[in-house]
Coordinates of all heavy atoms in Angstrom, one line a residue:
L396 N 9.2 -13.6 -6.6 CA 9.8 -14.9 -6.4 C 9.9 -15.7 -7.7 O 10.7 -16.5 -7.9 CB 9.0 -15.7 -5.4 CG 9.0 -15.1 -3.9 CD1 8.2 -16.1 -3.0 CD2 10.5 -15.0 -3.4
G397 N 8.9 -15.4 -8.6 CA 8.9 -16.1 -9.9 C 8.4 -17.6 -9.7 O 8.6 -18.4 -10.5
S398 N 7.7 -17.8 -8.6 CA 7.2 -19.1 -8.3 C 5.8 -19.0 -7.7 O 5.6 -18.6 -6.6 CB 8.1 -19.9 -7.3 OG 7.6 -21.1 -7.0
R399 N 4.8 -19.5 -8.5 CA 3.4 -19.5 -8.0 C 3.2 -20.6 -7.0 O 2.6 -20.4 -6.0 CB 2.5 -19.7 -9.2 CG 1.0 -19.6 -8.9 CD 0.3 -20.9 -8.7 NE -1.1 -20.7 -8.6 CZ -1.9 -21.7 -8.0 NH1 -1.3 -22.8 -7.5 NH2 -3.1 -21.5 -7.9
S400 N 3.8 -21.8 -7.3 CA 3.6 -22.9 -6.4 C 4.3 -22.7 -5.0 O 3.8 -23.1 -4.0 CB 4.2 -24.2 -7.0 OG 5.5 -24.0 -7.4
G401 N 5.5 -22.1 -5.1 CA 6.2 -21.9 -3.8 C 5.5 -20.9 -2.9 O 5.4 -21.1 -1.7
T402 N 4.9 -19.8 -3.5 CA 4.1 -18.9 -2.8 C 2.9 -19.5 -2.2 O 2.4 -19.3 -1.1 CB 3.7 -17.7 -3.7 OG1 4.9 -17.1 -4.3 CG2 3.0 -16.6 -2.9
F403 N 2.2 -20.4 -3.0 CA 1.0 -21.1 -2.5 C 1.3 -22.0 -1.4 O 0.5 -22.1 -0.4 CB 0.4 -21.9 -3.7 CG -0.9 -22.6 -3.3 CD1 -2.1 -21.9 -3.1 CD2 -0.9 -24.0 -3.2 CE1 -3.2 -22.6 -2.8 CE2 -2.0 -24.7 -2.9 CZ -3.2 -23.9 -2.6
V404 N 2.4 -22.8 -1.4 CA 2.8 -23.7 -0.3 C 3.1 -22.9 0.9 O 2.6 -23.3 2.1 CB 4.0 -24.5 -0.7 CG1 4.5 -25.2 0.5 CG2 3.6 -25.5 -1.8
A405 N 3.8 -21.8 0.8 CA 4.0 -20.9 2.0 C 2.8 -20.4 2.6 O 2.6 -20.3 3.8 CB 5.0 -19.7 1.6
A406 N 1.8 -20.0 1.8 CA 0.5 -19.5 2.2 C -0.2 -20.6 3.0 O -0.8 -20.3 4.1 CB -0.4 -19.0 1.1
C407 N -0.2 -21.8 2.5 CA -0.9 -22.9 3.2 C -0.3 -23.2 4.6 O -1.0 -23.5 5.5 CB -0.9 -24.1 2.3 SG -2.0 -24.0 0.8
L408 N 1.0 -23.2 4.6 CA 1.7 -23.4 5.9 C 1.4 -22.4 6.9 O 1.2 -22.7 8.1 CB 3.2 -23.5 5.6 CG 3.8 -24.7 4.9 CD1 5.3 -24.6 4.6 CD2 3.5 -26.0 5.7
C409 N 1.3 -21.1 6.5 CA 1.0 -20.0 7.4 C -0.5 -20.2 7.9 O -0.7 -20.0 9.1 CB 1.1 -18.7 6.7 SG 2.8 -18.2 6.4
L410 N -1.4 -20.7 7.0 CA -2.8 -20.9 7.5 C -2.9 -22.0 8.5 O -3.5 -21.9 9.5 CB -3.6 -21.2 6.3 CG -5.1 -21.6 6.6 CD1 -5.8 -20.5 7.3 CD2 -5.8 -22.0 5.3
I411 N -2.2 -23.1 8.2 CA -2.2 -24.3 9.1 C -1.6 -23.9 10.5 O -2.2 -24.2 11.6 CB -1.4 -25.4 8.5 CG1 -2.2 -25.9 7.3 CG2 -1.3 -26.6 9.5 CD1 -1.4 -27.0 6.5
L412 N -0.4 -23.3 10.5 CA 0.2 -22.9 11.7 C -0.6 -21.9 12.5 O -0.8 -22.0 13.8 CB 1.6 -22.4 11.5 CG 2.7 -23.4 11.0 CD1 3.9 -22.7 10.6 CD2 2.9 -24.5 12.0
G413 N -1.1 -20.9 11.8 CA -1.9 -19.8 12.5 C -3.2 -20.4 13.1 O -3.5 -20.1 14.2

Side-chain angles (χ1 to χ4, degrees):
L396 295 180
S398 174
R399 188 261 185 201
S400 58
T402 306
F403 181 72
V404 170
C407 292
L408 288 175
C409 288
L410 174 61
I411 294 171
L412 292 173

